[in-house]
Amino acid sequence: FFKAKLGDFVLTGPDAGSAGMTTQLAEMSKSPFVVLEKKRLTPDEVESHGTRNLIDEKLLKKHFVIVDDISSTGGTLLATIDQLKEYGVKRISCFVFHNLVRDTNVLKAFRQRKVNFFFSNSLPREGYTVDIIDDVAQAVRAKNGDIRNIERG
C-alpha cells in the first residue's frame, strides 16, 4: 500500500510501544525505519522527542510514514509530526490500524500540518482508506491451519 501510494518511505514509530510493529513492517517492506520516544504529559497531551542524529540526511528527503496501532485523541501522532518537522522532514503521512479519532479539530490539525491521515477498516468508520479485512481473515485462517482463500460476505 505505502509503496504504491507514496514511493520510497521511512517508517516511523512514535514511541517504544510501536517499535516491534514498526520493525516488522520495515522488514516486510524492506524500508528504513526510526522510532521516537514520547512522554505523556496529560491524558490528552504528549511530548515527542528522539535523537535527531539517528536520522541520516538522505532519509530526511524521503516520505516519513508514522505507523501506530491505535489513536484515540491524535495527540501522539500530532506530537510526532511536529517533532519530525522540527528535524526538517518535509513529507509526512500517518497510518493507524484502529482509528478512534472523531474530534474534527484534531482532523483539522492534520490538514493544517499538510499530513495525509490513513486508517484501516478495522473499526466500522466511514472514510477508511486501507482495506485489511481479507488480510486479517487470511492470517486467522492460516493460524488455525486453514489456508483456503476467504470470500467476503
Side-chain angles (χ1 to χ4, degrees):
F1 172 80
F2 297 129
K3 283 197 189 282
K5 290 271 188 197
L6 308 173
D8 283 341
F9 58 89
V10 177
L11 285 170
T12 308
D15 54 37
S18 68
M21 175 183 61
T22 304
T23 303
Q24 241 180 344
L25 290 170
E27 287 173 4
M28 289 168 45
S29 63
K30 297 183 181 8
S31 300
F33 70 95
V34 296
V35 177
L36 301 180
E37 296 176 19
K38 79 175 178 186
K39 178 180 179 182
R40 186 162 296 282
L41 305 173
T42 69
D44 294 334
E45 191 178 0
V46 173
E47 178 181 273
S48 178
H49 54 93
T51 308
R52 164 60 185 89
N53 62 1
L54 293 178
I55 302 177
D56 183 294
E57 287 297 320
K58 289 184 281 186
L59 290 182
L60 290 175
K61 296 176 181 158
K62 293 184 182 248
H63 197 132
F64 277 61
V65 179
I66 302 166
V67 292
D68 211 351
D69 57 348
I70 189 166
S71 183
S72 54
T73 66
T76 296
L77 296 173
L78 293 170
T80 304
I81 291 164
D82 293 343
Q83 186 65 55
L84 290 173
K85 286 186 176 275
E86 189 176 301
Y87 289 164
V89 175
K90 303 283 188 236
R91 297 180 301 150
I92 302 170
S93 293
C94 295
F95 175 77
V96 176
F97 284 94
H98 311 295
N99 175 29
L100 301 173
V101 177
R102 293 186 184 270
D103 185 338
T104 55
N105 290 326
V106 172
L107 298 173
K108 185 177 177 182
F110 282 105
R111 286 192 298 279
Q112 287 172 335
R113 287 168 172 80
K114 296 180 171 64
V115 170
N116 294 316
F117 182 50
F118 301 103
F119 55 96
S120 78
N121 60 342
S122 68
L123 300 170
R125 299 283 306 273
E126 285 190 34
Y128 72 86
T129 56
V130 180
D131 184 351
I132 64 168
I133 298 299
D134 289 338
D135 292 333
V136 170
Q138 200 67 18
V140 169
R141 284 194 175 271
K143 181 84 172 163
N144 291 323
D146 184 352
I147 56 172
R148 292 177 293 158
N149 284 332
I150 308 280
E151 287 192 29
R152 289 187 119 161

